[in-house]
Amino acid sequence: QVQLVESGGGLVQAGGSVRLSCAASGSIFILYTMRWYRQAPGKQRELVASITSGGSTNYVNSVKGRFTISRDNAANTVYLQMNTLKPEDTAVYYCNAFHVRIYTEYWGQGTQVTVSS
């Protein structure tokens, strides 16, 4: 079992920055690929960024060059630095831990990010 707790969301003006954090507990953090998803009202949940245990990253095209995912394995925490925010980035952001070998995943409760124009 993995417990995930997100923090750092809030209201920000367009062009601003926010850093989300996701603290993990309950299992061996290094075994998991960590992902950030988001879900805007009326839309499907979307994979935004991922980072493997080795530090390889991937991003959805719409956030490339603006968002950075990182992880601190000693602190069992994954981060999402979001810069140059746009109103279309408004969503609930969810942290996800995915165990690639046993194909199991866990979700956080989500944190709201609202970007005003």
Side-chain angles (χ1 to χ4, degrees), residues 31-46:
L31 296 178
Y32 292 82
T33 289
M34 300 301 297
R35 303 165 167 172
W36 285 99
Y37 285 78
R38 66 185 179 187
Q39 188 166 21
K43 295 188 176 181
Q44 289 188 332
R45 193 169 294 190
E46 170 187 48

Side-chain angles (χ1 to χ4, degrees), residues 2-5 22-27 29 34 75-78 95 97:
V2 176
Q3 293 79 44
L4 303 171
V5 179
C22 173
S25 61
S27 189
F29 184 70
M34 300 301 297
N76 288 358
T77 302
V78 62
C95 179

Side-chain angles (χ1 to χ4, degrees), residues 28-116:
I28 304 173
F29 184 70
I30 192 69
L31 296 178
Y32 292 82
T33 289
M34 300 301 297
R35 303 165 167 172
W36 285 99
Y37 285 78
R38 66 185 179 187
Q39 188 166 21
K43 295 188 176 181
Q44 289 188 332
R45 193 169 294 190
E46 170 187 48
L47 176 59
V48 174
S50 64
I51 184 167
T52 68
S53 57
S56 297
T57 59
N58 274 292
Y59 300 90
V60 68
N61 284 340
S62 59
V63 309
K64 284 182 180 178
R66 300 189 298 121
F67 290 10
T68 303
I69 188 171
S70 61
R71 65 190 294 164
D72 182 341
N73 291 328
N76 288 358
T77 302
V78 62
Y79 304 97
L80 186 67
Q81 177 68 45
M82 304 188 292
N83 298 329
T84 319
L85 283 161
K86 304 175 181 179
E88 52 264 42
D89 294 317
T90 295
V92 178
Y93 284 73
Y94 296 91
C95 179
N96 172 280
F98 177 65
H99 195 303
V100 298
R101 293 183 65 184
I102 63 175
Y103 213 81
T104 299
E105 63 180 351
Y106 301 93
W107 293 90
Q109 81 285 356
T111 185
Q112 177 72 46
V113 174
T114 302
V115 184
S116 62

